Amino acid sequence: ARHYGIEGVEGAEFRRVELPAARGAGPATEARARQGLLTHASWLTATSHRTRTSPVKRGKWVLEELLCSAPPPPPPNVEGLIEEVDQALPLRQRMEQHRADPACATCHSNMDPIGFGLENFNAIGAFRLEDQGEAIEPAGVLLGGVPFEDGASMARAIRSHPRLGPCMLQKVIIYAMGRGVAPLEACMVEDIAATAEADDYRPGAIVEAIVSSPLFTRRGLEEGQR
């Protein structure tokens, strides 16, 4: 409770608590900043370095796992921040220097703005307003040029992003099948996608569309159909 800034919780037993609504204008506060998975301390810790946050790791995870838009692999022999970066600068300015290298800009121009949206949370997911004495600027841009103000507004932008539904559907299909999807099965995937999209990718609709599809109910295409 202390880690999440929730008052009035005493004792060791587990209990359900309600976080204040994250919507609304005004200065960043912990009550406004927490919203869903992206602001959960476990995920924020897993996408950080040992001693500091990692906008790159956080941005890359969002692109790969939520929008199915993984950036290309880094150039050979690239490891961490380039040596020319001034390590005394705040992290955002250091990353801006990093993106000035054309070899780095292609990937980082998409990853970094997403990761900066979560800079109000430190390496273990605790809320903060400053980093090394400098005020944090959590505003950024989501894939497709969608602007956001902070982590909470970014979460809402992701929820309404046109790539989220198809990406989640793809991952649930792979999970349900326990394997990837063969090219000859594309038509069945399209049928599932049409059904799920018609119901706004509601989780129950996705599950029902998958388990009632021949893709799920049959072991595979017959040899003569391959």
Side-chain angles (χ1 to χ4, degrees):
R2 287 194 299 271
H3 189 78
Y4 282 97
I6 301 173
E7 299 179 355
V9 178
E10 302 293 339
E13 70 278 4
F14 285 104
R15 84 290 309 270
R16 183 183 180 88
V17 297
E18 296 291 338
L19 294 178
R23 297 179 183 276
T29 64
E30 182 145 20
R32 291 188 60 246
R34 299 282 182 189
Q35 181 151 328
L37 171 68
L38 293 181
T39 56
H40 196 282
S42 61
W43 180 84
L44 291 164
T45 302
T47 52
S48 294
H49 292 300
R50 184 171 58 86
T51 59
R52 66 168 176 83
T53 62
S54 175
V56 175
K57 286 186 177 182
R58 291 174 176 178
K60 182 174 183 287
W61 189 94
V62 169
L63 288 174
E64 286 183 338
E65 304 299 333
L66 299 183
L67 302 179
C68 290
S69 302
N77 303 319
V78 172
E79 184 64 33
L81 297 174
I82 56 178
E83 294 181 358
E84 291 77 9
V85 168
D86 184 355
Q87 299 297 322
L89 292 174
L91 182 59
R92 191 173 188 121
Q93 281 68 46
R94 279 183 275 160
M95 296 305 299
E96 287 175 355
Q97 288 189 1
H98 190 49
R99 290 197 301 277
D101 186 331
C104 305
T106 301
C107 298
H108 285 270
S109 60
N110 287 328
M111 292 187 295
D112 294 1
I114 296 173
F116 286 134
L118 297 164
E119 274 296 285
N120 277 132
F121 303 96
N122 67 14
I124 58 172
F127 182 76
R128 61 182 183 171
L129 292 173
E130 296 182 350
D131 179 25
Q132 298 181 0
E134 297 286 336
I136 290 172
E137 302 174 22
V141 180
L142 195 60
L143 195 67
V146 181
F148 56 83
E149 300 173 0
D150 51 25
S153 64
M154 182 177 72
R156 294 193 293 272
I158 291 173
R159 184 174 182 176
S160 59
H161 198 282
R163 295 195 184 189
L164 176 65
C167 182
M168 292 296 97
L169 178 65
Q170 173 185 321
K171 291 182 179 294
V172 176
I173 289 175
I174 292 173
Y175 176 80
M177 300 296 295
R179 61 173 175 80
V181 178
L184 289 175
E185 298 170 324
C187 58
M188 289 181 278
V189 173
E190 291 173 0
D191 289 341
I192 294 172
T195 301
E197 183 179 12
D199 206 347
D200 198 26
Y201 295 101
R202 185 174 55 85
I206 290 176
V207 172
E208 184 176 354
I210 292 173
V211 301
S212 60
S213 168
L215 182 66
F216 186 82
T217 58
R218 291 165 50 184
R219 297 187 63 176
L221 295 174
E222 298 297 332
E223 189 65 33
Q225 296 177 294
R226 294 184 184 276

